[in-house]
Amino acid sequence: MNAGTRRGLREGLALLSAEDGAPCEMCDEVSAFGAHATGSFVPEPAPRGGLRVRRQGFSRLIRRTGGVDVLAGLGALLPGYALIVPHRHTASLGELPAGELAEALSVAWRYADLIEKELGHATVLVEHGSSGATDSGGGSCIVHSHLHIFPLLNAAHSARFVAPGSRKSSEFADVVDTARRGENYYFCTWKRDEVYLLADPDLPSQFARRVWSETLERPHLWDWAAFPFLDHCADTARRLGGSADSPEEQQMRETLFAYGAAAAGYAERTRRFAAGSSMPQDIVAFARSHEGPLLDAGSGAGRDAAAFADAGKDVIALDACLPLLGLAPDHPRVHKVSGDVRALPLAGASMGSVWCSAVLLHLPPPQLLRALAEFHRVLRPGGVAHISVKEGEGHASLPIGADSTFLRHFFYYRIEDLVTLARQARFEIVRSWVEEEQDSSEDMQRWVKFWLRKTE
């Protein structure tokens, strides 16, 4: 990536902070919520003759913790290449709050140990920190904090990742100080008490990957975008993916995979409101009920976000499925953001309202409560939220299309269930009701709907 392209990316990314209230976006390679299908399209026989095209892919998400994702890295010259990506958008790890930085490093060392144990590779940890104002970005091609774990065929090769001019330190605090001074940096480490740090480096893009490719005697294959090595990436996800947090998290990964694999068809089915739907009127009424920007939490292909924008609202369209979000039409008042409703990459008290239609039904009660708490956090005092889920009890796993093998997971709720959860999230319940409406499969469904208000 050349300097001009990198400058454009930097200008296109806005660091979300309490001061500017701007949202952030992340490239596909390091998206904190990159649990979508990755891979190639393959033709296969259709049940009634002819051919159909199916996405043959995999999820790159190895593990999700409270603060970071572990992703199988694209451009995996060797199986075991992984990225540690914080949920919070910062330009460098050194800018993270102390607790989140400690979690990121702890997870990184755990996976470094796991890669050595499961794959037999020594590892080196590297970050191109982009905290400075210059275009070099510390040699990074993406302005979002991410820590590389490079597997090595020879442990002695780790020293080759030390950039010329680096100084040795036993304190990671030196990295933090460099970031907080507003400087780019490059660091590498392969021992917990030893860091090699170079401030304001003059390094080529993907410097560490260039070194890595040379250690593997494949010097021309360093660019992850040109040489993604999807087979090695899939192998990494498979061999390290047994460490997923919980069955619920695995279900969420499968749901996001299903949406990613069927993104084009799903986007087409949900592009317009169903005939006779009350949703357009609900959107206009909700848009008039408050001031300030609106978060469309789980925006999918952007139908509701565009309707709110047409009604005069400034909208953040947020979704965890990048292929689906990428199909949302561009609108001057809509800002697309990759994100998870359970860990919103937004500043506290930055939103006037939250619209969350047919999204929380993919979450079991503890995770739904976590999402409601996030809505409460990002709303301004007096801000309102609209949520809707399918009425019922229990859990179901259903294909995303009639001939699909990809499953989405659904959790059904009664009004009294959501009353309890909304109150636990400290919301005032303005209104609750049940309404019949078609779902994305064009089946009639009873929907539980709530208007909530943040009172403090």
Side-chain angles (χ1 to χ4, degrees):
M1 183 176 294
N2 60 37
T5 303
R6 188 165 53 247
R7 187 185 309 111
L9 176 60
R10 182 187 291 276
E11 291 171 354
L13 288 167
L15 173 63
L16 182 70
S17 66
E19 288 74 29
D20 61 23
C24 69
E25 295 180 359
M26 287 166 280
C27 165
D28 189 13
E29 164 60 355
V30 297
S31 166
F33 307 100
H36 56 276
T38 301
S40 57
F41 290 94
V42 293
E44 61 181 31
R48 296 181 178 87
L51 288 177
R52 62 182 174 185
V53 177
R54 186 184 295 279
R55 185 83 182 238
Q56 184 177 55
F58 58 93
S59 171
R60 291 172 50 217
L61 182 63
I62 295 170
R63 187 184 184 200
R64 173 165 294 154
T65 72
V68 302
D69 279 2
V70 184
L71 299 178
L74 296 175
L77 292 164
L78 201 65
Y81 172 49
L83 301 174
I84 307 299
V85 185
H87 295 171
R88 182 187 299 273
H89 175 64
T90 60
S92 302
L93 290 178
E95 296 180 17
L96 289 172
E100 294 175 31
L101 174 60
E103 179 183 5
L105 293 175
S106 174
V107 171
W109 285 118
R110 278 208 306 275
Y111 273 85
D113 291 341
L114 184 63
I115 291 165
E116 182 170 4
K117 177 182 177 183
E118 296 294 327
L119 284 79
H121 299 313
T123 57
V124 60
L125 278 54
V126 172
E127 187 197 14
H128 292 272
S130 303
S131 294
T134 60
D135 283 338
S136 68
S140 177
C141 66
I142 294 166
V143 185
H144 180 85
S145 53
H146 57 290
L147 183 65
H148 301 259
I149 306 179
F150 289 107
L152 306 176
L153 292 179
N154 187 330
H157 289 161
S158 54
R160 295 173 61 176
F161 287 81
V162 178
S166 296
R167 63 185 180 89
K168 183 178 177 180
S169 173
S170 61
E171 298 289 338
F172 199 85
D174 291 341
V175 176
V176 173
D177 290 342
T178 303
R180 291 180 180 173
R181 288 196 303 268
E183 297 179 72
N184 296 320
Y185 63 78
Y186 170 89
F187 89 83
C188 67
T189 179
W190 54 94
K191 298 179 181 178
R192 285 169 172 78
D193 59 351
E194 191 172 285
V195 176
Y196 292 86
L197 173 66
L198 180 63
D200 273 336
D202 182 15
L203 297 173
S205 176
Q206 301 191 61
F207 169 78
R209 290 188 53 86
R210 295 171 191 257
V211 173
W212 188 38
S213 66
E214 290 172 359
T215 69
L216 299 174
E217 298 182 351
R218 309 177 82 178
H220 304 299
L221 304 181
W222 53 268
D223 188 346
W224 65 264
F227 305 102
F229 286 100
L230 292 178
D231 52 346
H232 287 175
C233 182
D235 193 28
T236 300
R238 178 182 60 81
R239 296 173 74 175
L240 301 181
S243 57
D245 293 74
S246 65
E248 291 80 12
E249 200 61 52
Q250 292 179 30
Q251 290 171 346
M252 176 53 64
R253 291 168 60 187
E254 291 174 0
T255 297
L256 288 176
F257 181 89
Y259 279 114
Y266 184 84
E268 183 59 32
R269 290 200 306 275
T270 58
R271 191 73 71 190
R272 291 167 292 277
F273 294 102
S277 171
S278 65
M279 293 269 292
Q281 293 76 26
D282 290 345
I283 285 174
V284 171
F286 193 69
R288 293 172 176 170
S289 70
H290 65 278
E291 300 296 328
L294 176 141
L295 169 64
D296 185 1
S299 59
R303 180 197 64 192
D304 297 0
F308 276 113
D310 289 340
K313 301 300 294 182
D314 292 315
V315 182
I316 294 175
L318 177 142
D319 205 277
C321 178
L322 280 172
L324 194 55
L325 185 63
L327 293 173
D330 293 329
H331 192 293
R333 304 197 72 155
V334 176
H335 193 87
K336 302 176 191 178
V337 176
S338 169
D340 188 320
V341 296
R342 300 167 298 173
L344 295 172
L346 300 171
S350 59
M351 296 288 106
S353 62
V354 174
W355 174 267
C356 187
S357 177
V359 175
L360 300 182
L361 47 74
H362 294 305
L363 302 178
Q367 295 188 32
L368 190 150
L369 176 59
R370 179 175 158 190
L372 290 178
E374 279 290 272
F375 296 166
H376 191 278
R377 178 183 67 80
V378 303
L379 281 171
R380 298 170 180 174
V384 291
H386 176 285
I387 63 173
S388 63
V389 297
K390 292 184 177 182
E391 185 187 47
E393 298 181 68
H395 163 263
S397 300
L398 303 171
I400 196 166
D403 61 350
S404 176
T405 59
F406 301 118
L407 296 178
R408 293 179 293 169
H409 297 275
F410 293 92
F411 297 84
Y412 300 96
Y413 291 91
R414 302 165 300 172
I415 278 188
E416 52 265 39
D417 299 327
L418 284 184
V419 166
T420 299
L421 292 167
R423 287 175 176 166
Q424 287 177 349
R426 299 184 292 149
F427 274 112
E428 174 192 19
I429 299 170
V430 178
R431 182 187 172 204
S432 63
W433 71 104
V434 176
E435 186 174 330
E436 285 198 353
E437 185 128 19
Q438 286 184 358
D439 61 13
S440 62
S441 301
E442 300 183 350
D443 295 328
M444 291 303 296
Q445 174 67 48
R446 286 174 59 83
W447 296 89
V448 175
K449 299 187 177 183
F450 273 69
W451 273 35
L452 308 172
R453 179 181 288 118
K454 178 177 177 176
T455 56
E456 73 271 17

